[in-house]
Structure formats: C-alpha cells, structure tokens
C-alpha cells in the first residue's frame, strides 16, 4: 500500500500537480467591478482554494506563461473594500505561516479582525459570502462562528432585527404578517 502511495505521489510531482512547486514565482491580479487592481503573490493565492485551482488550471497552458507571469482575474461581483479585507486576512495568514507565528498571536489577531467586523454586520455578511465564493475556508468558518455566536446572544426579535439589519415592524407589515407580532413578549418562538 505504501509503495502505491509513493508511486502516486511521484507521478503527481512529475506531472506538475504538486501545489508547492506548481505556482512558484507566479502573480495574480484581481480586478474589482470598478477596475481597481490588487496584485497578489503566490503565498496569498494559496489561502484561497478557488484562486489556487484557477492558477493551477493556467499552469497547463504553457503559451499563456510564455507571454507573461501574471494572471489577471476579474472579480466583478466583489467590491474593492471587501476584497481588500479578504486579502488582508489572507496576507496575514501567509505571513504568519512563513514567520512561524505562534497560534496564540494568530488567534489574537483574528479576534481583533472579527471584533472590527462585528460593528459592521452588513460587511461581515458580505465578507462571509465572498470568503465562501473564493473558498477561503479558514475565514469562512471563522465568520460563520462569529455569526452563530452573535445569534445566540440575541434575546428577542428586536435584537435579531438589529443584527441582520431588518427594519422595524410597521403597521403595514403587521397586517400582512400577523404571526410576526403575535408573540406578546417579542421572544423568538
């Protein structure tokens, strides 16, 4: 069994499928909907499964890399502010990995990153979607946990409305959806 595993591993390395050597020295430019460009190096690219897969797909196109060593990728659905936040997270983790930063220091940085976002829940929800789309799994799971913790802290529907920025219940909404206001003490059923 071990011989088979070593054979598969050596075939993967020979065919260029090894992710550690496949993207060496490559750069990616991410373009947002307003044509702002973010230059990203390979250590940051590796934080996103989507970008890593995209870069590896282009690895097979030798004619593309003969012309340039930079891959330009449009990110039309992502605002520059969100992409900058996501890249700052990825950049920190890439740097922390190369500098052998302690897990305690990383956890402290992540806590401050999330605490900054808690004050702006719409941005947190958008960043959650972007991290899911680009498959930055560590950020995605961290933000999911943050949202779950925030939901647990909600004691009534008005807290929940503020959390997810749902407008207050008006008379018109109360008439259309009487179930929403039927609970006297305004607790989540």
């Amino acid at each position: 069994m071990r011989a088979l595993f070593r054979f598969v591993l050596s075939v993967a390395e020979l065919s260029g499928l090894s992710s550690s050597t496949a993207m060496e020295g490559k750069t990616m430019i991410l373009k947002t909907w307003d044509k702002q460009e973010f230059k990203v190096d390979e250590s940051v690219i590796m934080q996103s499964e989507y970008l890593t897969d995209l870069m590896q797909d282009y690895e097979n196109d030798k004619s593309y890399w003969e012309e340039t060593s930079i891959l330009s990728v449009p990110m039309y659905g992502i605002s520059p502010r969100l992409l900058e936040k996501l890249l700052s997270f990825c950049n920190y983790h890439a740097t922390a990995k190369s500098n052998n930063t302690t897990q305690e220091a990383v956890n402290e940085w992540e806590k401050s990153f999330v605490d900054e976002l808690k004050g702006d829940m719409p941005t947190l929800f958008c960043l959650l979607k972007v991290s899911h789309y680009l498959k930055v799994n560590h950020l995605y799971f961290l933000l999911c946990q943050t949202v779950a913790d925030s939901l647990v802290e909600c004691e009534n529907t008005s807290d929940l409305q503020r959390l997810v920025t749902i407008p207050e219940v008006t008379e018109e909404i109360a008439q259309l959806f009487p179930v929403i206001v039927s609970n006297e003490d305004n607790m989540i059923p």
Side-chain angles (χ1 to χ4, degrees):
M1 189 68 165
R2 287 184 192 197
L4 178 63
F5 178 73
R6 277 183 286 196
F7 173 75
V8 170
L9 189 60
S10 63
V11 169
E13 288 173 356
L14 289 173
S15 64
L17 296 176
S18 174
S19 62
S20 61
T21 60
M23 297 187 306
E24 199 167 311
K26 303 292 190 237
T27 303
M28 188 178 281
I29 293 180
L30 305 177
K31 293 182 182 179
T32 60
W33 56 269
D34 66 346
K35 307 232 185 332
Q36 275 191 328
E37 295 182 351
F38 294 87
K39 191 172 183 178
V40 181
D41 68 353
E42 67 176 298
S43 63
V44 176
I45 293 168
M46 297 297 286
Q47 302 296 314
S48 165
E49 286 183 34
Y50 174 80
L51 296 178
T52 301
D53 291 345
L54 187 64
M55 185 65 90
Q56 287 176 349
D57 286 347
Y58 274 91
E59 276 293 316
N60 296 329
D61 187 5
K62 301 296 182 200
S63 63
Y64 182 85
W65 294 113
E66 289 171 1
E67 297 171 15
T68 182
S69 65
I70 298 174
L71 176 63
S72 183
V73 179
M75 298 280 156
Y76 295 126
I78 302 173
S79 75
R81 189 172 137 231
L82 285 175
L83 190 56
E84 191 172 354
K85 279 275 190 207
L86 181 118
L87 291 177
S88 72
F89 183 88
C90 292
N91 203 7
Y92 176 81
H93 279 274
T95 306
K97 185 177 183 180
S98 66
N99 293 341
N100 294 326
T101 307
T102 65
Q103 188 61 39
E104 186 177 299
V106 171
N107 291 344
E108 191 173 315
W109 185 88
E110 286 178 351
K111 184 180 179 334
S112 67
F113 182 83
V114 167
D115 287 345
E116 181 184 324
L117 286 173
K118 276 187 177 179
D120 187 8
M121 289 307 277
T123 300
L124 188 143
F125 286 124
C126 290
L127 191 57
L128 182 70
K129 288 190 281 188
V130 169
S131 64
H132 183 259
Y133 172 70
L134 293 177
K135 295 183 182 176
V136 181
N137 293 331
H138 186 70
L139 177 59
Y140 178 70
F141 294 131
L142 181 67
L143 294 177
C144 283
Q145 185 62 53
T146 303
V147 170
D149 292 343
S150 298
L151 288 173
V152 168
E153 293 171 4
C154 291
E155 295 179 1
N156 54 40
T157 54
S158 61
D159 289 346
L160 185 60
Q161 287 172 333
R162 277 191 297 278
L163 178 67
V164 294
T165 61
I166 298 173
E168 293 294 322
V169 177
T170 62
E171 286 184 34
E172 180 182 348
I173 292 174
Q175 289 174 352
L176 289 172
F177 304 101
V179 171
I180 293 175
V181 292
S182 65
N183 196 346
E184 292 177 6
D185 56 356
N186 209 19
M187 293 298 290
I188 300 172

